[in-house]
Amino acid sequence: MKDFRGKTIRASGFHAPVCGEIVSFADALIAISNDGLIESVYQAGDSAYDQTLSAAKGDGRLIDLPAGKILLPGFVDLHIHAPQYPQLGTALDVPLEIWLQNHTFPLEARYADLAFARRSYSMLVDDLLASGTTTAVYYGTIHDEANRLLADLCIEKGQRAFVGKVAMDNPAECPDYYRDESIDAALKATTGLIDHIRGHPDNEDGLVRPIVTPRFIPSCTDDLLTELGALAKEHDCHTQTHCSESDWEHGYVIDRHGMSDTESLDRFGLLRAGTILAHGNFLFSNDMEVIKMRQSAVAHCPLSNIYFSDAVFPLKAALQKGLRVGLGTDISGGPSCSMFDSVRSTVSSARQLERGTDPSLSRDKRSTQGDVRIDFREAFHLATAGGGAAVGLPVGAFAPGYQFDAILIDPEAKSGTIRLWPELYEGDQILQTILFTASRANIASVWVGGKHRSGDPDRQ
Ligand code: GUN
Ligand code: FE
């Protein structure tokens, strides 16, 4: 009952393959291959439904999910600093540049200690799986062993992930105790992690992938950025970094390079298909064009942006331009590891942008003009299929060819926080209730690639 590989499940739930459009299904038949891929999805009324149902029943492959439980795609968290988990919910009251120097770099430096790394990373991967994050895009630290351990733990625990060795060699911005010794050392550690992940005997299906990770332009010398761009190309590897996050960071790059983060990253070859740029709050219109042209994507981190950015990401404008966007928790810039909170903050921060905040101004002066609102349908898409498209993986929707990465919501869990009033709901409103009120206790089970990875299988 645990694993769904080779099974056909009958389930009810929701997904959002297209931004803004919710598809609900009731008693759909989802056939899952021995590799964990979705082979077919049939709704009651489809011509193949009855035949598929009786065939699955006939050879004992049918699994009925319990009535009342709701299947959703697993979440794709595009931006996580794995080593920062121990400071989740602390040090949120200082600006980014102070937070990095006084809190974050000292914490990340501790990952030279492998026992500390194991304790923290085990807890993180378990907690994220239990929170419904089936694909995680991680920054590690500068340390070889701890980075390998993080990748190993994702493989062992079965979380789909990208794991990057953080590269940071600029003595002007990085402390002596937490800095790559040299460009060569940073490159060697980056290729070492790529080889470790790609050559891992238990990672033949590529569940975990490497990602080239210059921390952000201020942390890196130009020579290192040049080499990392070349290395990503040579190894055909994803890349990730921070981009135009705060006034300070955005201004720093303009002062140092005479151009925006986006333009500068592009000339280093660091904008590639599937590149994840965290934040992007200060992107110029032209930057968005460049990101789109390169098929790179923005990780919108609304909760972290409240604490560390000096603006709200113009999400609607980015979507209207056709940019790829997904959501991130930015652990620990944001104080929650749950993508439910990213969805909620995506909706609420867009609403604040729309309505403004200064009560001393009249309504017309207080509010941002134009179409900036994001609703739960769009946010749900971004947290699932949108994130999958951003990294170029077939995850986040229930469709043939997609991975069966899913979470099962138990809306009636006593210790949970969903309180349903079905007689009041119409259409997709129950999904809205789930997105805004669910907590970890409402996540009964989690599957990655058809394998049961979290929750109590008997509670399915
Ligand atoms: N910019 C460079 N490093 C970081 C980090 O760890 N978190 C955030 N939010 N921004 C950064
Ligand atoms: Fe970050």
Side-chain angles (χ1 to χ4, degrees), residues 335-451:
S336 168
C337 72
S338 168
M339 285 292 286
F340 280 116
D341 282 322
S342 293
V343 166
R344 293 162 197 161
S345 310
T346 295
V347 174
S348 57
S349 62
R351 192 69 68 84
Q352 289 217 298
L353 190 62
E354 179 186 33
R355 295 293 163 88
T357 53
D358 185 348
S360 69
L361 297 175
S362 63
R363 188 186 170 93
D364 58 324
K365 296 211 175 59
R366 191 193 315 145
S367 57
T368 298
Q369 303 301 317
D371 178 15
V372 295
R373 185 181 288 207
I374 297 290
D375 74 4
F376 73 92
R377 299 175 184 89
E378 294 160 307
F380 177 56
H381 165 83
L382 297 177
T384 54
V391 284
L393 290 181
V395 298
F398 299 115
Y402 275 63
Q403 297 281 349
F404 186 82
D405 290 5
I407 65 181
L408 191 68
I409 298 292
D410 177 2
E412 284 164 2
K414 284 247 168 3
S415 52
T417 39
I418 301 172
R419 298 292 174 249
L420 287 188
W421 294 86
E423 67 268 38
L424 302 182
Y425 301 134
E426 281 174 24
D428 57 17
Q429 293 310 306
I430 183 173
L431 176 65
Q432 185 173 23
T433 304
I434 290 169
L435 293 175
F436 279 104
T437 64
S439 50
R440 187 160 147 173
N442 292 112
I443 301 176
S445 273
V446 179
W447 294 267
V448 182
K451 289 197 171 173

Side-chain angles (χ1 to χ4, degrees), residues 79 81 84 96 99-100 104-105 108 139 215-216 219 242 245 249 279 304 308 330-331 333:
H79 188 54
H81 294 272
Q84 296 174 18
L96 177 66
W99 176 80
L100 286 171
T104 303
F105 292 160
E108 292 193 11
Y139 286 57
R215 183 173 204 114
F216 65 161
S219 298
H242 295 84
E245 178 176 3
E249 188 269 328
H279 308 286
S304 156
F308 292 108
D330 193 19
I331 293 168

Side-chain angles (χ1 to χ4, degrees), residues 7 62 71 101 105 127 140-141 187 229-230 263 268 336 377 379 389 460:
K7 309 284 188 203
L62 183 72
L71 195 72
Q101 300 292 340
F105 292 160
D127 284 351
T141 61
L187 297 175
E263 290 170 311
F268 291 118
S336 168
R377 299 175 184 89
Q460 267 170 29

Side-chain angles (χ1 to χ4, degrees), residues 159-390:
Q159 186 180 44
R160 198 177 303 288
F162 291 82
V163 178
K165 173 249 177 297
V166 169
M168 43 193 288
D169 73 325
N170 181 6
E173 291 295 328
C174 310
D176 292 345
Y177 66 85
Y178 189 53
R179 188 173 72 225
D180 286 312
E181 260 170 42
S182 63
I183 293 176
D184 275 354
L187 297 175
K188 204 163 152 248
T190 302
T191 42
L193 186 62
I194 294 173
D195 292 343
H196 175 79
I197 292 172
R198 289 188 174 160
H200 197 294
D202 300 328
N203 191 36
E204 276 166 1
D205 54 355
L207 184 77
V208 176
R209 294 167 191 234
I211 183 163
V212 171
T213 307
R215 183 173 204 114
F216 65 161
I217 289 175
S219 298
C220 299
T221 60
D222 289 4
D223 287 344
L224 179 59
L225 293 167
T226 305
E227 294 295 334
L228 289 173
L231 194 151
K233 186 171 178 201
E234 186 192 331
H235 291 263
D236 192 17
C237 198
H238 277 74
T239 66
Q240 64 178 344
T241 191
H242 295 84
C243 179
S244 293
E245 178 176 3
S246 69
D247 272 323
W248 167 75
E249 188 269 328
H250 182 66
Y252 172 99
V253 176
I254 290 173
D255 285 350
R256 184 171 129 193
H257 287 158
M259 61 185 85
S260 70
D261 278 48
T262 304
E263 290 170 311
S264 191
L265 292 166
D266 193 38
R267 74 199 167 116
F268 291 118
L270 287 164
L271 295 190
R272 298 167 49 77
T275 291
I276 301 300
L277 300 171
H279 308 286
N281 297 305
F282 293 88
L283 293 179
F284 298 124
S285 178
N286 180 55
D287 291 335
M288 290 197 187
E289 299 294 348
V290 173
I291 293 169
K292 184 180 171 189
M293 183 176 68
R294 296 287 180 227
Q295 299 179 306
S296 299
V298 173
H300 176 42
C301 305
L303 198 48
S304 156
N305 287 347
I306 289 169
Y307 295 100
F308 292 108
S309 300
D310 308 313
V312 176
F313 174 60
L315 173 56
K316 196 63 172 243
L319 293 175
Q320 283 168 346
K321 268 194 190 291
L323 233 70
R324 297 178 188 198
V325 183
L327 304 186
T329 55
D330 193 19
I331 293 168
S332 67
S336 168
C337 72
S338 168
M339 285 292 286
F340 280 116
D341 282 322
S342 293
V343 166
R344 293 162 197 161
S345 310
T346 295
V347 174
S348 57
S349 62
R351 192 69 68 84
Q352 289 217 298
L353 190 62
E354 179 186 33
R355 295 293 163 88
T357 53
D358 185 348
S360 69
L361 297 175
S362 63
R363 188 186 170 93
D364 58 324
K365 296 211 175 59
R366 191 193 315 145
S367 57
T368 298
Q369 303 301 317
D371 178 15
V372 295
R373 185 181 288 207
I374 297 290
D375 74 4
F376 73 92
R377 299 175 184 89
E378 294 160 307
F380 177 56
H381 165 83
L382 297 177
T384 54

